[in-house]
Amino acid sequence: MNDYWEKDIETISRTALEELQLASLRSTIAQAARSTFYHEMFDRHGISAEGISSLDDLRSIPFTTKEDLRKNYPYGMSAIPLRECVRLHSSSGTTGNPTVVLHSQRDIDDWANQVARCMYMVGIRNEDVFQNTSGYGMFTGGLGFQYGAELLGALTVPAAAGNTKRQIKFIRDFGATCLHIIPSYATRLAEVMYEEGVDPRRDTKLRVICIGAEPHSEEQRKRIEQLLGVKAYNCFGMSEMNGPGVAFECTEQNGLHIWEDYVIAEIIDPDTLLPVPDGEQGELVLTTLRREAMPLIRYRTRDLTCIIPGDCPCGRTHRRIARFRGRSDDMIILKGVNLFPIQIETILMQFRELGSNYLITLETVGNSDEMLIEVELSDLFTDDYAELQALAREITRRLRDELLLTPRLRLVARGSLPVQEGKAVRVKDLRKLI
Ligand code: AMP
Ligand code: ZN
Protein backbone atom coordinates (compact mmCIF):
# COMPACT_ATOMS: atom_id res chain seq x y z
CA MET A 1 0.00 0.00 0.00
CA ASN A 2 2.07 2.93 -1.24
CA ASP A 3 0.05 5.65 0.25
CA TYR A 4 1.52 7.82 2.96
CA TRP A 5 0.36 10.11 5.72
CA GLU A 6 3.35 12.40 5.12
CA LYS A 7 4.99 11.21 1.93
CA ASP A 8 7.83 13.76 1.94
CA ILE A 9 9.07 12.86 5.36
CA GLU A 10 8.32 9.13 5.22
CA THR A 11 10.24 8.65 1.97
CA ILE A 12 12.88 11.33 2.52
CA SER A 13 16.37 10.49 1.24
CA ARG A 14 18.82 9.29 3.88
CA THR A 15 21.06 12.31 3.28
CA ALA A 16 18.21 14.75 3.78
CA LEU A 17 17.03 12.81 6.82
CA GLU A 18 20.47 12.97 8.39
CA GLU A 19 20.67 16.71 7.76
CA LEU A 20 17.31 17.13 9.40
CA GLN A 21 18.45 14.99 12.34
CA LEU A 22 21.58 17.06 12.81
CA ALA A 23 19.63 20.32 12.87
CA SER A 24 17.06 18.83 15.25
CA LEU A 25 19.79 17.39 17.46
CA ARG A 26 21.37 20.80 17.86
CA SER A 27 18.10 22.42 18.84
CA THR A 28 17.33 19.50 21.17
CA ILE A 29 20.62 20.02 22.95
CA ALA A 30 19.96 23.73 23.27
CA GLN A 31 16.50 22.93 24.60
CA ALA A 32 17.71 20.22 26.99
CA ALA A 33 20.27 22.62 28.46
CA ARG A 34 17.33 24.53 29.97
CA SER A 35 16.62 21.64 32.35
CA THR A 36 18.51 21.37 35.62
CA PHE A 37 19.56 17.82 34.85
CA TYR A 38 21.09 18.40 31.41
CA HIS A 39 22.42 21.82 32.33
CA GLU A 40 24.63 20.19 34.95
CA MET A 41 25.55 17.26 32.70
CA PHE A 42 26.51 19.52 29.79
CA ASP A 43 28.53 21.81 32.10
CA ARG A 44 30.45 18.86 33.47
CA HIS A 45 31.26 17.46 30.02
CA GLY A 46 31.65 20.69 28.06
CA ILE A 47 28.71 19.94 25.77
CA SER A 48 26.90 22.60 23.79
CA ALA A 49 24.70 22.78 20.71
CA GLU A 50 27.45 24.65 18.84
CA GLY A 51 29.90 21.85 19.59
CA ILE A 52 27.80 19.33 17.64
CA SER A 53 29.00 19.34 14.06
CA SER A 54 27.99 15.83 13.00
CA LEU A 55 25.64 13.10 14.16
CA ASP A 56 28.66 11.17 15.41
CA ASP A 57 29.21 13.87 18.02
CA LEU A 58 26.16 12.52 19.80
CA ARG A 59 28.38 9.69 21.01
CA SER A 60 30.38 12.07 23.18
CA ILE A 61 27.30 12.71 25.35
CA PRO A 62 26.71 10.45 28.35
CA PHE A 63 23.66 8.19 28.44
CA THR A 64 20.50 9.05 30.33
CA THR A 65 18.91 6.23 32.31
CA LYS A 66 15.62 5.46 33.98
CA GLU A 67 17.48 5.97 37.26
CA ASP A 68 18.17 9.57 36.23
CA LEU A 69 14.44 10.07 35.67
CA ARG A 70 13.70 8.57 39.07
CA LYS A 71 16.26 10.73 40.85
CA ASN A 72 14.83 13.82 39.22
CA TYR A 73 11.25 12.93 40.04
CA PRO A 74 8.97 14.71 39.45
CA TYR A 75 10.05 17.85 37.60
CA GLY A 76 13.85 17.89 37.53
CA MET A 77 14.04 16.98 33.84
CA SER A 78 11.67 19.66 32.59
CA ALA A 79 13.09 22.09 30.05
CA ILE A 80 10.20 24.53 30.08
CA PRO A 81 8.28 26.21 32.90
CA LEU A 82 5.48 24.06 34.28
CA ARG A 83 2.88 26.61 33.23
CA GLU A 84 3.79 25.74 29.63
CA CYS A 85 3.27 22.02 30.19
CA VAL A 86 -0.17 20.60 29.49
CA ARG A 87 0.15 16.97 30.54
CA LEU A 88 2.25 14.50 32.42
CA HIS A 89 2.35 10.74 32.23
CA SER A 90 3.86 8.70 34.99
CA SER A 91 4.85 5.07 35.12
CA SER A 92 4.83 3.46 38.50
CA GLY A 93 7.85 1.19 38.53
CA THR A 94 8.15 -1.52 41.12
CA THR A 95 10.82 0.06 43.28
CA GLY A 96 11.57 3.60 44.35
CA ASN A 97 10.15 6.66 42.71
CA PRO A 98 8.04 6.41 39.61
CA THR A 99 9.11 8.31 36.52
CA VAL A 100 7.40 11.33 35.03
CA VAL A 101 7.27 12.53 31.44
CA LEU A 102 6.09 16.07 30.76
CA HIS A 103 4.50 17.36 27.57
CA SER A 104 3.88 20.78 26.07
CA GLN A 105 0.97 21.28 23.69
CA ARG A 106 3.35 20.98 20.77
CA ASP A 107 4.68 17.69 22.14
CA ILE A 108 1.14 16.34 22.36
CA ASP A 109 0.39 17.47 18.80
CA ASP A 110 3.60 15.88 17.53
CA TRP A 111 2.80 12.64 19.29
CA ALA A 112 -0.70 12.56 17.78
CA ASN A 113 0.83 13.05 14.35
CA GLN A 114 3.31 10.26 14.96
CA VAL A 115 0.51 7.85 15.92
CA ALA A 116 -1.67 8.97 13.00
CA ARG A 117 1.25 8.31 10.66
CA CYS A 118 1.54 4.76 12.01
CA MET A 119 -2.17 4.07 11.77
CA TYR A 120 -2.37 5.42 8.25
CA MET A 121 0.59 3.26 7.30
CA VAL A 122 -1.34 0.08 8.16
CA GLY A 123 -4.38 1.18 6.19
CA ILE A 124 -6.54 2.82 8.84
CA ARG A 125 -8.56 5.69 7.34
CA ASN A 126 -11.19 8.20 8.42
CA GLU A 127 -14.00 5.83 7.48
CA ASP A 128 -12.75 3.32 10.05
CA VAL A 129 -14.21 2.77 13.48
CA PHE A 130 -11.32 2.45 15.88
CA GLN A 131 -11.82 0.92 19.32
CA ASN A 132 -9.11 1.40 21.90
CA THR A 133 -9.00 -1.25 24.62
CA SER A 134 -6.13 0.37 26.55
CA GLY A 135 -6.42 1.99 29.93
CA TYR A 136 -6.93 5.75 29.66
CA GLY A 137 -5.02 6.72 32.77
CA MET A 138 -1.30 7.21 33.07
CA PHE A 139 -0.75 4.36 30.62
CA THR A 140 0.08 6.06 27.34
CA GLY A 141 -1.67 3.48 25.15
CA GLY A 142 -5.02 5.11 25.94
CA LEU A 143 -4.64 8.81 25.27
CA GLY A 144 -1.77 8.28 22.82
CA PHE A 145 -3.89 6.28 20.41
CA GLN A 146 -6.95 8.40 21.09
CA TYR A 147 -5.36 11.62 19.86
CA GLY A 148 -3.67 9.90 16.90
CA ALA A 149 -6.90 8.28 15.76
CA GLU A 150 -8.83 11.53 16.11
CA LEU A 151 -6.23 13.39 14.07
CA LEU A 152 -6.55 10.72 11.42
CA GLY A 153 -10.27 11.29 11.49
CA ALA A 154 -11.40 7.78 12.42
CA LEU A 155 -14.50 7.39 14.54
CA THR A 156 -13.00 6.51 17.90
CA VAL A 157 -14.52 4.27 20.55
CA PRO A 158 -12.55 4.92 23.75
CA ALA A 159 -13.70 1.69 25.38
CA ALA A 160 -10.68 1.60 27.76
CA ALA A 161 -9.46 -1.56 29.46
CA GLY A 162 -11.36 -4.50 30.87
CA ASN A 163 -14.91 -5.82 30.73
CA THR A 164 -14.50 -8.16 27.80
CA LYS A 165 -18.19 -8.72 27.20
CA ARG A 166 -18.71 -5.00 26.92
CA GLN A 167 -15.77 -4.74 24.51
CA ILE A 168 -17.39 -7.38 22.32
CA LYS A 169 -20.73 -5.59 22.42
CA PHE A 170 -19.08 -2.33 21.34
CA ILE A 171 -17.16 -4.06 18.56
CA ARG A 172 -20.40 -5.47 17.21
CA ASP A 173 -22.79 -2.59 17.88
CA PHE A 174 -20.49 0.16 16.62
CA GLY A 175 -19.02 -1.86 13.78
CA ALA A 176 -15.42 -1.51 14.93
CA THR A 177 -13.03 -2.20 12.06
CA CYS A 178 -9.80 -1.59 13.98
CA LEU A 179 -8.57 -2.14 17.51
CA HIS A 180 -5.64 -1.20 19.63
CA ILE A 181 -5.06 -4.04 22.05
CA ILE A 182 -2.21 -5.65 23.94
CA PRO A 183 -1.39 -9.10 22.53
CA SER A 184 -2.16 -11.10 25.68
CA TYR A 185 -5.57 -9.48 25.80
CA ALA A 186 -6.20 -10.01 22.09
CA THR A 187 -6.09 -13.78 22.50
CA ARG A 188 -8.31 -13.56 25.56
CA LEU A 189 -10.81 -11.37 23.75
CA ALA A 190 -10.93 -13.90 20.92
CA GLU A 191 -11.44 -16.77 23.36
CA VAL A 192 -14.33 -15.03 25.05
CA MET A 193 -15.87 -14.23 21.65
CA TYR A 194 -15.84 -17.89 20.68
CA GLU A 195 -17.21 -18.85 24.11
CA GLU A 196 -20.10 -16.45 23.55
CA GLY A 197 -20.76 -17.94 20.13
CA VAL A 198 -19.39 -14.87 18.34
CA ASP A 199 -17.23 -15.68 15.34
CA PRO A 200 -15.14 -12.57 14.79
CA ARG A 201 -14.80 -13.27 11.07
CA ARG A 202 -18.53 -13.61 10.56
CA ASP A 203 -20.02 -11.42 13.26
CA THR A 204 -17.67 -8.41 13.36
CA LYS A 205 -16.13 -6.00 10.88
CA LEU A 206 -12.68 -6.18 12.43
CA ARG A 207 -9.88 -6.05 9.87
CA VAL A 208 -6.81 -4.33 11.33
CA ILE A 209 -5.47 -4.35 14.86
CA CYS A 210 -2.51 -2.65 16.43
CA ILE A 211 -0.80 -4.79 19.05
CA GLY A 212 2.02 -3.72 21.32
CA ALA A 213 3.10 -2.64 24.77
CA GLU A 214 4.48 -6.07 25.66
CA PRO A 215 6.78 -8.62 24.05
CA HIS A 216 5.09 -11.19 21.87
CA SER A 217 6.33 -13.73 19.40
CA GLU A 218 5.65 -13.98 15.68
CA GLU A 219 3.69 -17.15 16.51
CA GLN A 220 1.50 -15.22 18.91
CA ARG A 221 0.83 -12.61 16.21
CA LYS A 222 -0.14 -15.30 13.71
CA ARG A 223 -2.44 -16.85 16.24
CA ILE A 224 -4.13 -13.51 16.93
CA GLU A 225 -4.55 -12.90 13.20
CA GLN A 226 -6.12 -16.29 12.74
CA LEU A 227 -8.39 -16.14 15.75
CA LEU A 228 -9.74 -12.69 14.97
CA GLY A 229 -9.51 -12.84 11.17
CA VAL A 230 -7.47 -9.62 11.02
CA LYS A 231 -4.06 -8.25 10.15
CA ALA A 232 -2.15 -7.47 13.35
CA TYR A 233 0.63 -4.88 13.33
CA ASN A 234 3.31 -4.55 15.92
CA CYS A 235 3.44 -1.19 17.65
CA PHE A 236 6.34 -0.18 19.87
CA GLY A 237 6.34 2.66 22.29
CA MET A 238 7.39 3.69 25.74
CA SER A 239 6.23 6.48 28.03
CA GLU A 240 9.67 8.08 28.08
CA MET A 241 9.43 8.54 24.30
CA ASN A 242 5.79 9.76 24.51
CA GLY A 243 4.17 6.33 24.21
CA PRO A 244 2.87 4.32 21.26
CA GLY A 245 4.06 5.28 17.80
CA VAL A 246 7.83 5.30 18.26
CA ALA A 247 8.18 2.40 15.80
CA PHE A 248 5.52 0.52 13.91
CA GLU A 249 5.25 -2.17 11.28
CA CYS A 250 4.13 -1.32 7.79
CA THR A 251 1.96 -3.69 5.78
CA GLU A 252 5.05 -5.68 4.79
CA GLN A 253 5.23 -6.92 8.41
CA ASN A 254 8.98 -7.18 8.16
CA GLY A 255 10.15 -5.16 11.17
CA LEU A 256 9.13 -1.83 12.68
CA HIS A 257 9.96 1.48 11.00
CA ILE A 258 11.37 3.74 13.64
CA TRP A 259 10.50 7.36 12.94
CA GLU A 260 13.89 8.94 12.62
CA ASP A 261 12.61 12.48 12.29
CA TYR A 262 11.34 12.07 15.87
CA VAL A 263 14.21 10.08 17.36
CA ILE A 264 17.79 9.10 16.73
CA ALA A 265 18.12 5.37 17.29
CA GLU A 266 21.37 3.72 18.32
CA ILE A 267 21.92 0.07 19.17
CA ILE A 268 24.64 -0.55 21.72
CA ASP A 269 26.20 -3.51 23.43
CA PRO A 270 24.73 -3.20 26.94
CA ASP A 271 28.02 -4.34 28.52
CA THR A 272 30.65 -2.43 26.56
CA LEU A 273 28.25 0.42 25.68
CA LEU A 274 29.78 0.48 22.19
CA PRO A 275 27.65 0.58 19.03
CA VAL A 276 26.88 -2.77 17.41
CA PRO A 277 26.67 -3.23 13.63
CA ASP A 278 23.31 -3.39 11.85
CA GLY A 279 21.76 -6.84 12.11
CA GLU A 280 23.30 -7.51 15.51
CA GLN A 281 21.26 -7.46 18.64
CA GLY A 282 21.83 -4.88 21.32
CA GLU A 283 20.08 -2.33 23.51
CA LEU A 284 18.04 0.38 21.85
CA VAL A 285 19.14 3.90 22.83
CA LEU A 286 16.94 6.81 21.80
CA THR A 287 17.38 10.56 21.57
CA THR A 288 14.28 12.67 21.14
CA LEU A 289 14.49 15.21 18.32
CA ARG A 290 11.38 17.30 18.72
CA ARG A 291 10.56 17.24 22.40
CA GLU A 292 10.02 20.60 23.98
CA ALA A 293 9.00 19.91 27.57
CA MET A 294 11.36 17.05 28.32
CA PRO A 295 14.02 16.18 25.77
CA LEU A 296 15.89 12.95 26.49
CA ILE A 297 19.35 12.37 25.12
CA ARG A 298 20.77 8.89 24.59
CA TYR A 299 18.11 7.31 26.72
CA ARG A 300 18.85 3.68 27.50
CA THR A 301 15.58 1.86 26.87
CA ARG A 302 16.78 -1.57 28.11
CA ASP A 303 14.88 -3.04 25.15
CA LEU A 304 16.81 -5.51 23.04
CA THR A 305 16.50 -5.42 19.28
CA CYS A 306 18.57 -4.88 16.16
CA ILE A 307 18.49 -2.69 13.06
CA ILE A 308 17.30 -4.74 10.10
CA PRO A 309 19.65 -4.07 7.19
CA GLY A 310 18.24 -3.24 3.77
CA ASP A 311 15.42 -1.21 2.28
CA CYS A 312 11.74 -1.82 2.79
CA PRO A 313 9.60 -2.38 -0.32
CA CYS A 314 7.02 0.07 1.06
CA GLY A 315 9.32 2.96 0.09
CA ARG A 316 9.74 4.37 3.58
CA THR A 317 13.34 5.23 4.26
CA HIS A 318 13.19 5.20 8.06
CA ARG A 319 15.13 2.18 9.25
CA ARG A 320 13.47 -0.88 10.66
CA ILE A 321 14.05 -2.51 14.01
CA ALA A 322 13.29 -6.15 14.77
CA ARG A 323 10.53 -7.49 16.97
CA PHE A 324 11.63 -7.13 20.60
CA ARG A 325 12.87 -10.18 22.41
CA GLY A 326 12.19 -8.42 25.68
CA ARG A 327 14.01 -6.05 27.94
CA SER A 328 17.47 -6.79 29.24
CA ASP A 329 15.88 -7.00 32.71
CA ASP A 330 13.53 -9.76 31.44
CA MET A 331 16.40 -12.09 30.74
CA ILE A 332 16.20 -15.21 32.87
CA ILE A 333 19.46 -16.72 34.03
CA LEU A 334 18.88 -20.28 35.16
CA LYS A 335 21.64 -22.78 35.80
CA GLY A 336 24.02 -20.54 33.91
CA VAL A 337 21.78 -20.46 30.82
CA ASN A 338 20.50 -17.09 29.56
CA LEU A 339 17.07 -17.11 28.00
CA PHE A 340 14.07 -14.93 27.30
CA PRO A 341 10.41 -15.75 28.00
CA ILE A 342 9.67 -15.04 24.35
CA GLN A 343 11.69 -18.13 23.34
CA ILE A 344 9.35 -20.23 25.43
CA GLU A 345 6.30 -18.52 23.99
CA THR A 346 7.54 -19.16 20.46
CA ILE A 347 7.55 -22.91 21.12
CA LEU A 348 4.26 -23.02 23.03
CA MET A 349 2.35 -21.09 20.38
CA GLN A 350 3.27 -23.66 17.77
CA PHE A 351 1.04 -26.22 19.47
CA ARG A 352 -2.57 -25.88 18.44
CA GLU A 353 -3.52 -27.96 21.45
CA LEU A 354 -2.35 -25.13 23.73
CA GLY A 355 -4.17 -21.94 24.63
CA SER A 356 -2.42 -18.59 24.81
CA ASN A 357 -1.99 -18.06 28.51
CA TYR A 358 1.13 -19.35 30.21
CA LEU A 359 3.18 -18.67 33.32
CA ILE A 360 6.84 -19.34 33.98
CA THR A 361 7.79 -19.88 37.62
CA LEU A 362 11.37 -20.00 38.78
CA GLU A 363 11.79 -21.72 42.11
CA THR A 364 14.38 -23.31 44.31
CA VAL A 365 13.80 -27.01 44.81
CA GLY A 366 16.31 -28.45 47.29
CA ASN A 367 19.64 -27.06 46.24
CA SER A 368 18.80 -26.36 42.69
CA ASP A 369 16.88 -23.74 40.75
CA GLU A 370 14.13 -25.07 38.52
CA MET A 371 11.77 -23.72 35.95
CA LEU A 372 8.11 -24.64 35.93
CA ILE A 373 6.08 -23.76 32.87
CA GLU A 374 2.33 -23.86 33.25
CA VAL A 375 0.32 -23.50 30.11
CA GLU A 376 -3.39 -23.61 29.49
CA LEU A 377 -4.83 -26.14 27.09
CA SER A 378 -7.02 -24.89 24.31
CA ASP A 379 -10.67 -25.83 24.32
CA LEU A 380 -10.17 -27.99 21.33
CA PHE A 381 -8.07 -30.47 23.15
CA THR A 382 -8.96 -33.82 24.61
CA ASP A 383 -8.77 -34.78 28.28
CA ASP A 384 -7.47 -38.22 27.44
CA TYR A 385 -4.62 -38.83 29.88
CA ALA A 386 -2.37 -40.77 27.51
CA GLU A 387 -2.71 -38.12 24.83
CA LEU A 388 -1.94 -35.39 27.31
CA GLN A 389 1.16 -37.25 28.47
CA ALA A 390 2.34 -37.64 24.90
CA LEU A 391 1.69 -33.97 24.21
CA ALA A 392 3.58 -32.90 27.35
CA ARG A 393 6.54 -35.06 26.34
CA GLU A 394 6.67 -33.53 22.88
CA ILE A 395 6.43 -29.95 24.18
CA THR A 396 9.14 -30.62 26.76
CA ARG A 397 11.40 -32.05 24.08
CA ARG A 398 10.97 -28.95 21.91
CA LEU A 399 11.55 -26.65 24.88
CA ARG A 400 14.71 -28.53 25.84
CA ASP A 401 16.06 -28.18 22.31
CA GLU A 402 15.42 -24.44 22.35
CA LEU A 403 16.44 -23.62 25.91
CA LEU A 404 19.18 -26.18 26.50
CA LEU A 405 17.68 -27.04 29.85
CA THR A 406 14.69 -29.15 30.83
CA PRO A 407 11.79 -27.27 32.38
CA ARG A 408 8.98 -28.94 34.28
CA LEU A 409 5.81 -28.59 32.28
CA ARG A 410 2.26 -28.55 33.59
CA LEU A 411 -0.69 -28.51 31.22
CA VAL A 412 -3.62 -26.86 32.95
CA ALA A 413 -7.27 -26.28 32.13
CA ARG A 414 -8.39 -23.21 30.20
CA GLY A 415 -9.00 -20.23 32.44
CA SER A 416 -7.01 -21.55 35.40
CA LEU A 417 -4.03 -19.21 35.17
CA PRO A 418 -4.32 -15.65 36.43
CA VAL A 419 -5.09 -12.92 33.88
CA GLN A 420 -3.96 -9.34 34.25
CA GLU A 421 -5.88 -6.32 33.17
CA GLY A 422 -2.75 -4.62 31.81
CA LYS A 423 0.46 -6.08 30.50
CA ALA A 424 0.73 -9.82 31.07
CA VAL A 425 3.02 -11.02 33.85
CA ARG A 426 4.73 -14.08 32.36
CA VAL A 427 7.43 -14.78 34.90
CA LYS A 428 7.30 -15.34 38.66
CA ASP A 429 10.70 -15.56 40.27
CA LEU A 430 10.49 -17.34 43.63
CA ARG A 431 14.11 -18.40 43.78
CA LYS A 432 15.89 -18.14 47.09
CA LEU A 433 18.78 -15.75 46.88
CA ILE A 434 21.35 -18.11 48.33
P1 AMP B 1 5.54 1.74 29.24
O1 AMP B 1 6.39 2.95 29.15
O2 AMP B 1 5.11 1.42 30.63
O3 AMP B 1 4.40 1.78 28.29
O4 AMP B 1 6.45 0.50 28.82
C1 AMP B 1 7.27 0.54 27.69
C2 AMP B 1 7.92 -0.80 27.52
O5 AMP B 1 6.96 -1.77 27.04
C3 AMP B 1 8.98 -0.79 26.46
O6 AMP B 1 10.20 -0.30 26.96
C4 AMP B 1 9.04 -2.26 26.08
O7 AMP B 1 9.80 -2.99 27.03
C5 AMP B 1 7.60 -2.70 26.18
N1 AMP B 1 6.99 -2.66 24.84
C6 AMP B 1 6.26 -1.67 24.30
N2 AMP B 1 5.84 -1.99 23.06
C7 AMP B 1 6.35 -3.22 22.78
C8 AMP B 1 6.29 -4.10 21.65
N3 AMP B 1 5.63 -3.79 20.56
N4 AMP B 1 6.96 -5.28 21.74
C9 AMP B 1 7.64 -5.60 22.85
N5 AMP B 1 7.72 -4.83 23.95
C10 AMP B 1 7.09 -3.64 23.92
ZN1 ZN C 1 7.94 -0.63 5.18
Side-chain angles (χ1 to χ4, degrees), residues 9 18 47 68 70 73 91 94 127 147 162 178 184 204 211 224 230 282 336 375 404:
I9 192 73
E18 280 164 21
I47 292 157
D68 293 324
R70 290 209 169 105
Y73 175 86
S91 96
T94 42
E127 53 266 30
Y147 281 60
C178 311
S184 52
T204 78
I211 50 173
I224 292 170
V230 295
V375 55
L404 308 176

Side-chain angles (χ1 to χ4, degrees), residues 115-308:
V115 174
R117 190 193 283 174
C118 298
M119 295 176 75
Y120 196 88
M121 177 164 72
V122 297
I124 303 176
R125 296 290 181 271
N126 54 4
E127 53 266 30
D128 276 301
V129 178
F130 173 80
Q131 184 163 322
N132 190 0
T133 67
S134 284
Y136 271 70
M138 291 297 200
F139 178 50
T140 53
L143 290 171
F145 263 98
Q146 181 66 31
Y147 281 60
E150 283 180 12
L151 181 63
L152 184 85
L155 170 57
T156 59
V157 182
N163 200 338
T164 308
K165 291 193 179 154
R166 185 164 148 269
Q167 299 282 0
I168 298 170
K169 181 170 168 49
F170 287 168
I171 290 172
R172 299 187 71 190
D173 291 358
F174 304 140
T177 51
C178 311
L179 296 179
H180 171 234
I181 188 162
I182 60 176
S184 52
Y185 188 55
T187 46
R188 199 173 132 62
L189 176 78
E191 281 169 5
V192 177
M193 277 189 181
Y194 285 104
E195 258 167 35
E196 302 273 299
V198 176
D199 177 347
R201 294 159 188 273
R202 185 193 61 205
D203 305 324
T204 78
K205 295 190 174 152
L206 290 176
R207 60 179 194 86
V208 171
I209 69 171
C210 308
I211 50 173
E214 63 183 10
H216 54 286
S217 55
E218 181 62 31
E219 284 67 21
Q220 167 103 319
R221 180 243 291 277
K222 287 199 190 112
R223 185 173 272 226
I224 292 170
E225 290 189 327
Q226 253 172 14
L227 283 169
L228 289 173
V230 295
K231 279 280 175 198
Y233 296 101
N234 192 351
C235 157
F236 168 74
M238 61 191 325
S239 333
E240 297 93 317
M241 294 289 134
N242 292 350
V246 179
F248 216 92
E249 275 180 332
C250 67
T251 51
E252 303 288 334
Q253 296 186 311
N254 58 359
L256 297 86
H257 287 284
I258 184 152
W259 299 122
E260 295 179 272
D261 54 329
Y262 279 97
V263 291
I264 293 179
E266 299 170 77
I267 311 277
I268 60 159
D269 178 322
D271 298 322
T272 64
L273 306 182
L274 293 171
V276 303
D278 287 1
E280 256 178 51
Q281 179 165 287
E283 179 181 336
L284 179 67
V285 171
L286 294 173
T287 298
T288 62
L289 288 178
R290 298 178 55 93
R291 272 275 197 62
E292 209 171 40
M294 202 176 122
L296 288 175
I297 295 170
R298 304 197 85 202
Y299 183 70
R300 290 190 59 179
T301 66
R302 303 277 167 191
D303 287 312
L304 301 174
T305 182
C306 67
I307 299 277
I308 300 176

Side-chain angles (χ1 to χ4, degrees), residues 339-372:
L339 56 102
F340 283 92
I342 206 85
Q343 290 172 267
I344 296 170
E345 181 183 294
T346 303
I347 302 289
L348 299 179
M349 292 296 136
Q350 288 167 17
F351 287 88
R352 289 187 53 245
E353 298 90 338
L354 300 180
S356 305
N357 203 4
Y358 65 95
L359 181 65
I360 302 163
T361 306
L362 307 171
E363 52 196 353
T364 308
V365 182
N367 286 330
S368 118
D369 288 340
E370 305 285 341
M371 175 188 289
L372 167 69

Side-chain angles (χ1 to χ4, degrees), residues 2-204:
N2 286 333
D3 186 9
Y4 309 91
W5 177 249
E6 291 161 294
K7 184 163 197 284
D8 290 352
I9 192 73
E10 290 174 54
T11 61
I12 187 173
S13 74
R14 289 300 304 178
T15 324
L17 180 56
E18 280 164 21
E19 273 167 26
L20 177 70
Q21 284 188 318
L22 181 58
S24 308
L25 177 60
R26 286 208 193 99
S27 46
T28 292
I29 288 176
Q31 181 67 8
R34 301 197 172 104
S35 73
T36 323
F37 174 76
Y38 283 112
H39 185 80
E40 283 170 10
M41 178 203 275
F42 293 171
D43 253 10
R44 237 178 302 129
H45 293 87
I47 292 157
S48 68
E50 300 72 46
I52 301 287
S53 56
S54 80
L55 286 175
D56 285 343
D57 292 339
L58 177 61
R59 299 223 183 101
S60 60
I61 305 180
F63 295 103
T64 302
T65 62
K66 196 168 200 117
E67 205 36 49
D68 293 324
L69 263 60
R70 290 209 169 105
K71 278 193 204 136
N72 289 279
Y73 175 86
Y75 298 139
M77 310 287 291
S78 72
I80 58 174
L82 284 186
R83 66 172 182 280
E84 288 169 30
C85 295
V86 298
R87 195 186 312 158
L88 70 73
H89 280 277
S90 170
S91 96
S92 49
T94 42
T95 50
N97 272 341
T99 54
V100 155
V101 178
L102 289 159
H103 300 275
S104 68
Q105 185 58 52
R106 203 192 76 189
D107 293 335
I108 295 287
D109 295 344
D110 267 344
W111 179 15
N113 185 63
Q114 200 174 0
V115 174
R117 190 193 283 174
C118 298
M119 295 176 75
Y120 196 88
M121 177 164 72
V122 297
I124 303 176
R125 296 290 181 271
N126 54 4
E127 53 266 30
D128 276 301
V129 178
F130 173 80
Q131 184 163 322
N132 190 0
T133 67
S134 284
Y136 271 70
M138 291 297 200
F139 178 50
T140 53
L143 290 171
F145 263 98
Q146 181 66 31
Y147 281 60
E150 283 180 12
L151 181 63
L152 184 85
L155 170 57
T156 59
V157 182
N163 200 338
T164 308
K165 291 193 179 154
R166 185 164 148 269
Q167 299 282 0
I168 298 170
K169 181 170 168 49
F170 287 168
I171 290 172
R172 299 187 71 190
D173 291 358
F174 304 140
T177 51
C178 311
L179 296 179
H180 171 234
I181 188 162
I182 60 176
S184 52
Y185 188 55
T187 46
R188 199 173 132 62
L189 176 78
E191 281 169 5
V192 177
M193 277 189 181
Y194 285 104
E195 258 167 35
E196 302 273 299
V198 176
D199 177 347
R201 294 159 188 273
R202 185 193 61 205
D203 305 324
T204 78

